[in-house]
Amino acid sequence: MATGGMDEASNMKVILKHYVSGSPQETDMHLTAGTIKLKVPKYSNSIILKNLYLSCDPYMIFKMMKLERQLTDPYVLGSPITGYGVAKVLDSAHPGFAMDDLVWGITGWEEYSLISDPKNFFKIQHTDVPLSYYAGILGMPGITAYIGFYELCAPKKGDYVFVSAACGAVGQLVGQFAKLHGCHVVGSAGSPEKVDILKNKFGFDEAFNYKDEPNFDATLKRHCPEGIDIYFDNVGGKMLDAVLLNLRPHARIAVCGMISQYNREQPDGIQNLSSMVLKEARMQGYLATNYYHLYPKYLEIILPLIKESKVVYVEDVADGLENAPKALVGIFSGRNIGKQVVAFQATKMADEALVKNKQVVLKNYVNAGLPKESDMEIKEKSIQLKVPEGTKDAILVKNLYLSCDPYMRNRMKKLEDSYVPSFEPGSPISGYGVAKVVDSTHPEYKNGDLVWGTTGWEEYSLLTAPGLLFKIQHTDLPLTYYTGLLGMAGMTAYTGFYEICTPKKGEYVYVSAASGAVGQLVGQFAKLLGCYVVGSAGSKEKIDLLKNKFGFDEAFNYKEEPDLDAALKRYFPEGIDIYFENVGGKMLDAVLLNMRVHGRIAVCGMISQYNNDKPEATHNLMYIIPKRVRMQGFIVSDFYHLYPKYLEMVIPSIKEEKITYIEDVAEGIESAPTALIGLFIGRNVGKQLVVVARD
């Protein structure tokens, strides 16, 4: 037996006042204070839990009722209600549980719970995902979706699948499982916002707002003209009746719930059950608890999908036990968006500092045209300056400098297939930055460490997967350099020029967007190697920098050149051996006409195309055949194993002033949207970065 700290603590609880009929109200419950001993009774098999998250689930309404034919044991009036939750073991007399174990299972709606028989609790082994997931995708709702879809419905690729209450804790997963299986998926939900989430976040093929549809039969015929092979039923009633008219032969119906009926004194009658005979359909109700032996198998499937972002999960989190009654009642009126969870961690401990956290948030996707500052907004939230309890291998950082990079334009679009995911509207955008570790549960990082890598565009970020961060060892150079010269931009220039283009002394090198974060370095690397270097940029000021600061042999303003082919022939009468491509479009077409035999093109970016509705066609690609040109795109993250080698090369060059670097610095996170947009119109001179804090 083990225990920590104090022996007794105050314990707030949610109590059911009386049994309900019809829709439950917040006033049917109330909060009451008590105390609890934080040591298990002697000679027991018990555990004491500190509850971290509580799950709000539709089945709980039956436990709030006193029915003639009781479907489940009702709550005991005057005692805390119970439900699924995530908790930490504070004390244990059970051989299967130790102090500090994290668990999920049925617990009390209270701050601390004494569990006399914890045999049905699951130990949480995977703490590299949010703990709240064990109230949803990695808990009872997740296994419910998995069992209903895979075990009961036995799906086949190409099946037509319909999911009701599709934006809820279970429905959002069923739809994503079906899409991964190659099915055509339609979902229904109760608001335009939820319908948008179904189509644009969860990837449903179609979705509709059932509140806008007076005739469900006609609606289903419109969205499922071929009929329905699989119906995952979460609502029952009139929707189920309409589905029965639209089944395909040998259809399967998994009856998970019928939330539309739970508040009715008399359930709706189902008129069309005879359709099951004609269609030889199978309908099966089930309880997830009968399948918990399959939970390890489910984890093997779902965890990789989460980590690879092939499955996403939306949670609606209410902060604090005092908001639990409102959260529970809300699921019966459709107020929640996603899995409804109550978080205890929002009730901050006295020793855990809470600070304001300004964030740059994308309002909506910008799929075409030039993005505007108004497509982003500054929001202010609060953050606890401590890694949440129970979260392993995570760090909390204070962001110091943020990097503005061209690739971020594509992340502002709704991307279907990309090496990097889209930003999520309503959430902080992310990008490369320099930060200081404030708190850490990761063995490789400690408080005070300086790091660079991907972080949030906010004052503080919780990074749950910091594996791609780099510790900053050389602090005798400006920290801002780790957003550019000593960070991703520098590695991009090094990789593209040395690894992709394999340069030789005396070669003719052309760099577009040459005064930018990457281009200015490529030109200097080429000069150090003894190459002849020409660069292009978009203003007289930038041309002056290229020639007089970075040492390019020649440079020209592309905006003043009506014929790019003629311009290149003027600057490269012998042709081009190496082209470092940053812009694409007409410039690339002109370069292809001027490449030398066995020339190399490193395709780093095509910024001229990022805002176009439709990319410009490249007409001269055939010239790579007679010239035997090698043209290669690359992603710098594939070459990060070379970062130590790059530092060995570049740091002496910096200290000996053989390489210079120009930065365009915007002050304050409020200026970040303006700075980012400026990249796409060429407003920046040098590497664009944003100062969030200087320490």
Side-chain angles (χ1 to χ4, degrees):
M1 182 187 304
T3 188
M6 52 190 176
D7 290 337
E8 189 171 273
S10 60
N11 193 26
M12 293 296 295
K13 311 173 185 182
V14 176
I15 303 292
L16 183 66
K17 292 182 186 176
H18 46 253
Y19 294 115
V20 305
S21 60
S23 298
Q25 307 296 319
E26 294 176 45
T27 53
D28 295 322
M29 295 164 276
H30 72 103
L31 262 69
T32 183
T35 59
I36 185 172
K37 291 184 177 180
L38 297 184
K39 292 179 70 72
V40 296
K42 289 184 178 180
Y43 315 115
S44 72
N45 223 20
S46 306
I47 59 175
I48 296 283
L49 299 180
K50 178 183 179 181
N51 293 310
L52 305 177
Y53 297 96
L54 300 177
S55 174
C56 298
D57 297 298
Y59 78 89
M60 296 172 72
I61 194 171
F62 293 115
K63 299 179 76 68
M64 301 174 78
M65 298 176 175
K66 194 75 168 178
L67 302 173
E68 184 177 341
R69 295 185 178 181
Q70 198 73 36
L71 299 176
T72 184
D73 293 335
Y75 292 134
V76 177
L77 298 181
S79 296
I81 66 176
T82 59
Y84 283 93
V86 180
K88 180 180 180 181
V89 177
L90 295 185
D91 191 27
S92 175
H94 192 285
F97 299 92
M99 188 174 73
D100 293 332
D101 278 351
L102 293 166
V103 297
W104 72 268
I106 299 288
T107 187
W109 274 37
E110 53 191 342
E111 294 178 283
Y112 302 93
S113 293
L114 171 64
I115 307 296
S116 58
D117 185 8
K119 64 182 180 183
N120 290 324
F121 274 81
F122 293 86
K123 276 191 186 180
I124 294 174
Q125 308 290 350
H126 303 275
T127 56
D128 53 346
V129 292
L131 280 180
S132 57
Y133 276 12
Y134 289 92
I137 186 173
L138 296 177
M140 183 273 289
I143 192 74
T144 299
Y146 171 78
I147 295 301
F149 184 65
Y150 288 106
E151 297 293 320
L152 301 189
C153 293
K156 299 184 292 292
K157 184 177 180 180
D159 275 346
Y160 293 88
V161 177
F162 174 51
V163 186
S164 56
C167 203
V170 175
Q172 60 176 290
L173 293 175
V174 174
Q176 292 180 83
F177 292 162
K179 285 302 299 176
L180 288 171
H181 203 69
C183 301
H184 181 86
V185 185
V186 176
S188 63
S191 73
E193 180 181 8
K194 292 180 181 179
V195 169
D196 180 69
I197 289 173
L198 293 180
K199 292 193 288 186
N200 296 319
K201 189 167 185 71
F202 300 140
F204 283 54
D205 296 288
E206 290 289 341
F208 63 88
N209 183 350
Y210 72 89
K211 294 179 181 178
D212 292 340
E213 301 292 343
N215 185 330
F216 289 163
D217 179 31
T219 302
L220 291 174
K221 283 182 169 56
R222 186 170 74 248
H223 287 279
C224 306
E226 304 295 327
I228 299 169
D229 292 297
I230 292 174
Y231 173 44
F232 199 99
D233 189 12
N234 288 306
V235 301
K238 292 181 174 63
M239 186 65 79
L240 173 59
D241 237 356
V243 167
L244 289 166
L245 295 175
N246 288 275
L247 295 176
R248 287 162 62 94
H250 304 291
R252 291 84 74 200
I253 301 176
V255 184
C256 171
M258 294 190 176
I259 197 169
S260 72
Q261 306 301 296
Y262 295 165
N263 299 327
R264 296 179 183 273
E265 294 183 12
Q266 180 67 36
D268 290 338
I270 302 299
Q271 308 291 326
N272 300 319
L273 277 174
S274 60
S275 296
M276 294 187 63
V277 179
L278 299 173
K279 296 300 176 74
E280 301 178 79
R282 182 178 77 241
M283 181 188 299
Q284 184 172 343
Y286 69 105
L287 296 175
T289 51
N290 293 332
Y291 297 87
Y292 277 168
H293 61 283
L294 296 177
Y295 183 62
K297 178 182 176 183
Y298 171 61
L299 288 184
E300 288 180 6
I301 294 171
I302 193 65
L303 284 168
L305 295 176
I306 294 171
K307 292 175 181 179
E308 295 166 14
S309 299
K310 292 181 179 178
V311 169
V312 296
Y313 200 61
V314 171
E315 298 174 305
D316 195 330
V317 182
D319 288 335
L321 187 64
E322 65 276 9
N323 289 312
K326 181 178 180 180
L328 178 58
V329 170
I331 69 173
F332 301 109
S333 61
R335 192 165 56 209
N336 61 300
I337 297 177
K339 170 62 193 172
Q340 184 67 69
V341 177
V342 178
F344 281 86
Q345 281 134 310
T347 307
K348 303 295 188 291
M349 302 300 289
D351 61 342
E352 295 173 346
L354 190 66
V355 299
K356 293 179 180 179
N357 190 27
K358 290 181 181 177
Q359 303 174 326
V360 179
V361 172
L362 181 67
K363 292 182 184 177
N364 294 293
Y365 290 121
V366 187
N367 289 317
L370 186 69
K372 305 181 293 297
E373 294 173 39
S374 57
D375 293 319
M376 294 166 276
E377 61 182 336
I378 304 295
K379 285 192 172 181
E380 188 174 279
K381 293 196 173 182
S382 297
I383 189 169
Q384 189 176 331
L385 292 186
K386 191 172 181 64
V387 174
E389 187 172 358
T391 306
K392 293 182 179 179
D393 296 335
I395 63 173
L396 185 78
V397 299
K398 178 180 181 180
N399 293 311
L400 305 178
Y401 305 99
L402 301 177
S403 174
C404 298
D405 297 299
Y407 80 92
M408 298 172 73
R409 173 62 186 94
N410 279 334
R411 298 191 69 188
M412 300 174 83
K413 301 176 182 178
K414 178 63 175 174
L415 301 173
E416 298 298 332
D417 184 21
S418 174
Y419 73 95
V420 64
S422 301
F423 294 136
E424 185 176 321
S427 296
I429 66 176
S430 60
Y432 284 91
V434 176
K436 184 177 183 179
V437 177
V438 175
D439 191 33
S440 173
T441 59
H442 195 290
E444 295 181 15
Y445 300 92
K446 65 182 186 299
N447 292 10
D449 280 349
L450 292 167
V451 295
W452 75 266
T454 300
T455 187
W457 273 38
E458 53 191 344
E459 292 176 286
Y460 297 90
S461 294
L462 175 65
L463 305 177
T464 56
L468 288 178
L469 291 179
F470 295 85
K471 278 192 186 180
I472 294 174
Q473 308 291 353
H474 302 275
T475 55
D476 54 339
L477 296 168
L479 282 180
T480 55
Y481 277 13
Y482 289 90
T483 67
L485 171 56
L486 295 177
M488 183 271 286
M491 270 298 294
T492 300
Y494 172 81
T495 299
F497 184 64
Y498 288 104
E499 297 295 320
I500 305 296
C501 292
T502 57
K504 297 184 289 290
K505 182 179 180 179
E507 288 194 310
Y508 297 90
V509 177
Y510 173 49
V511 186
S512 56
S515 70
V518 174
Q520 61 176 289
L521 293 175
V522 174
Q524 292 180 80
F525 292 164
K527 286 302 299 175
L528 287 172
L529 195 69
C531 299
Y532 178 87
V533 185
V534 176
S536 62
S539 73
K540 292 179 179 179
E541 177 189 7
K542 293 178 181 180
I543 298 306
D544 181 67
L545 280 174
L546 293 179
K547 292 195 290 186
N548 299 319
K549 182 83 172 173
F550 301 138
F552 283 51
D553 296 288
E554 288 291 345
F556 64 92
N557 184 346
Y558 70 89
K559 294 179 181 178
E560 296 176 352
E561 299 290 345
D563 186 338
L564 294 173
D565 177 31
L568 291 174
K569 281 183 168 58
R570 188 166 74 247
Y571 288 101
F572 291 100
E574 303 294 324
I576 301 168
D577 292 297
I578 291 174
Y579 173 43
F580 200 97
E581 162 70 293
N582 287 308
V583 301
K586 293 181 176 62
M587 185 65 79
L588 174 59
D589 246 352
V591 167
L592 289 167
L593 296 173
N594 288 275
M595 292 299 293
R596 300 182 71 182
V597 174
H598 299 299
R600 289 86 73 204
I601 300 176
V603 184
C604 171
M606 294 191 176
I607 196 169
S608 73
Q609 305 301 296
Y610 295 165
N611 299 319
N612 293 349
D613 290 355
K614 185 178 180 181
E616 288 179 87
T618 302
H619 300 281
N620 299 322
L621 202 57
M622 62 182 177
Y623 286 90
I624 70 172
I625 301 170
K627 297 293 183 69
R628 285 90 86 195
V629 171
R630 185 179 77 240
M631 183 174 178
Q632 184 173 338
F634 68 102
I635 303 298
V636 68
S637 55
D638 293 338
F639 296 87
Y640 277 163
H641 61 282
L642 298 177
Y643 184 59
K645 179 182 175 183
Y646 170 61
L647 290 183
E648 287 179 9
M649 182 209 79
V650 78
I651 286 178
S653 295
I654 296 170
K655 292 181 177 179
E656 294 166 15
E657 298 184 354
K658 293 179 179 178
I659 286 180
T660 60
Y661 200 62
I662 296 292
E663 298 173 320
D664 194 327
V665 181
E667 292 286 343
I669 197 167
E670 299 84 356
S671 66
T674 302
L676 180 58
I677 298 305
L679 277 183
F680 307 117
I681 57 175
R683 192 164 54 209
N684 62 299
V685 177
K687 169 63 193 173
Q688 182 67 68
L689 64 99
V690 177
V691 178
V692 181
R694 294 192 181 273
D695 187 9

